[in-house]
Amino acid sequence: MPTPTFFALAKNNLTSSQSSVVFSAIPQTYTDLYIVCSVRNTGGTTGTNYIRMQANSATNEFSGRYLEGYGNSLTGSGYTQNDPYMTQLYGNVLNGATSNTFGYVEIYIPNYAGSTAKPISATGISENNNATASWGVDVVASLYNSTSAITSLTFTPTGNSFASNSSFHLYGIKNS
Amino acid sequence: MPAGATYEPLATTTLSSSQASITFNSVSGSYTDLKVVLVGSSSTGTWWGLRFNSDTGTNYSYTNVRGNGSTVSTNRTTNGSFILANENNISSISHAIYEIFSYASTSINKTVLGIYSGDAVGSGIVQRTVGLWRSTAAITTVEIWTTGGANFAIGTTATLYGIARA
């Protein structure tokens, strides 16, 4: 019998809109963390609205580089250290988008409980077949430049709130 | 926090002869997300498409970003008859992952993250795709197929995994 290595740790299924979602008291007994977010925003019809992730009570430990494509434009840039969030996570489908459709973000945090800085990868996606809002792909590389183990993760939108039926899922992965 | 084993291999197909498509039928609805990992090849310039439940209607859309080492690009298609998982792949062995979120839901449309990685020592493609199947039906069939008359080569392998949430 192979040893299980991939564990579903917690979930937050929203039954009403919320301005933030928190995973607290994260067990320190795994090697990596993997997070999947299924998200819709309460507001907005056009434009972009990102998801942000804060680790612990970060104030200025995040930096990152990202690549974004929308089908008609492509952009890439970065945000320097001194940011409290990993941001530019493009999975926040706006309220004006096609109904019954959610955006997704997946985030991988290796060695989250270790005493070195944490490089983080993420992909944010949104597609809803309309011409006014909420489609694109972004790929993000980030650094949580802290030697502290990650014990909590907080997710917030850059505007409005997460809509009801959005969900957030935390997995732990063991390397042996 | 509850914990339990959640990443289950459901089926594997390894081609003993070249063929134009790989299909997973009767997919169990017991999981939350699906992941297909494909390793293989087809002729240079062929595209790999993704369809669900044998739906060939114009119920798909996708947006991608891709780079080939000299050019970066982004494309979008709405009201298409499939999700274009990768464009103009290399002929040597390459790798695709399709993550199909909330596939068993009967209340939301289905979103896919496609990851394509191919390098041929001097050429290659990296691509990320978001696809949408505008259907609230639970996915029971996953089809991956090549375009332009080309086939997946002998030895191409696709594995379907089920991922359960807490």
Side-chain angles (χ1 to χ4, degrees):
Chain A
M1 177 77 70
T3 301
T5 56
F6 191 93
F7 295 86
L9 301 183
K11 64 181 176 186
N12 267 291
N13 294 330
L14 304 189
T15 56
S16 60
S17 63
Q18 287 182 205
S19 59
S20 67
V21 170
V22 181
F23 291 114
S24 60
I26 297 174
Q28 300 295 291
T29 52
Y30 300 90
T31 309
D32 304 332
L33 293 179
Y34 173 64
I35 302 103
V36 175
C37 312
S38 170
V39 183
R40 193 172 173 98
N41 194 271
T42 58
T45 302
T46 60
T48 54
N49 189 319
Y50 297 104
I51 298 165
R52 304 176 300 190
M53 182 183 78
Q54 183 184 33
N56 300 340
S57 299
T59 55
N60 62 0
E61 293 89 340
F62 277 101
S63 58
R65 292 289 178 268
Y66 59 89
L67 172 67
E68 295 182 352
Y70 304 106
N72 56 2
S73 65
L74 190 62
T75 185
S77 187
Y79 47 99
T80 58
Q81 193 168 333
N82 293 325
D83 205 297
Y85 307 106
M86 176 183 186
T87 188
Q88 299 296 131
L89 301 173
Y90 189 70
N92 203 0
V93 169
L94 299 179
N95 191 46
T98 301
S99 60
N100 303 319
T101 304
F102 289 73
Y104 290 84
V105 173
E106 60 169 26
I107 302 167
Y108 199 95
I109 310 175
N111 197 34
Y112 73 101
S115 59
T116 59
K118 284 74 176 168
I120 303 172
S121 62
T123 302
I125 58 173
S126 178
E127 173 56 57
N128 74 118
N129 199 61
N130 77 10
T132 57
S134 302
W135 68 88
V137 181
D138 74 32
V139 186
V140 181
S142 183
L143 180 71
Y144 176 52
N145 195 12
S146 170
T147 57
S148 299
I150 292 175
T151 59
S152 69
L153 293 170
T154 301
F155 297 89
T156 54
T158 53
N160 304 301
S161 297
F162 296 128
S164 177
N165 296 315
S166 297
S167 61
F168 297 76
H169 304 267
L170 178 68
Y171 300 87
I173 299 169
K174 291 189 175 186
N175 66 357
S176 64
Chain B
M1 294 182 183
T6 59
Y7 198 106
E8 301 288 340
L10 302 181
T12 296
T13 296
T14 300
L15 300 186
S16 57
S17 60
S18 67
Q19 60 191 58
S21 66
I22 297 172
T23 302
F24 294 103
N25 292 303
S26 303
V27 176
S28 168
S30 301
Y31 301 89
T32 309
D33 304 324
L34 296 175
K35 177 176 285 190
V36 178
V37 179
L38 188 151
V39 180
S41 64
S42 59
S43 304
T44 298
T46 54
W47 300 357
W48 297 355
L50 197 61
R51 275 196 297 239
F52 303 115
N53 293 10
S54 303
D55 182 5
T56 57
T58 54
N59 299 311
Y60 302 87
S61 56
Y62 56 87
T63 303
N64 64 40
V65 294
R66 64 193 297 272
N68 62 10
S70 58
T71 305
V72 293
S73 63
T74 179
N75 292 290
R76 185 178 192 227
T77 292
T78 57
N79 300 307
S81 59
F82 56 90
I83 295 169
L84 186 63
N86 65 281
E87 302 176 39
N88 297 324
N89 59 290
I90 59 174
S91 62
S92 52
I93 193 166
S94 56
H95 165 218
I97 298 174
Y98 309 118
E99 302 195 29
I100 308 166
F101 298 103
S102 303
Y103 76 101
S105 170
T106 55
S107 61
I108 66 174
N109 297 321
K110 309 305 182 290
T111 299
V112 177
L113 169 61
I115 298 169
Y116 177 79
S117 301
D119 189 275
V121 190
S123 65
I125 296 168
V126 57
Q127 178 166 328
R128 297 290 185 274
T129 301
V130 53
L132 180 73
W133 181 44
R134 292 190 318 284
S135 172
T136 56
I139 291 174
T140 57
T141 301
V142 179
E143 179 188 7
I144 311 155
W145 50 282
T146 62
T147 64
N151 286 346
F152 286 116
I154 294 171
T156 296
T157 298
T159 302
L160 178 70
Y161 298 90
I163 301 172
R165 296 174 183 171

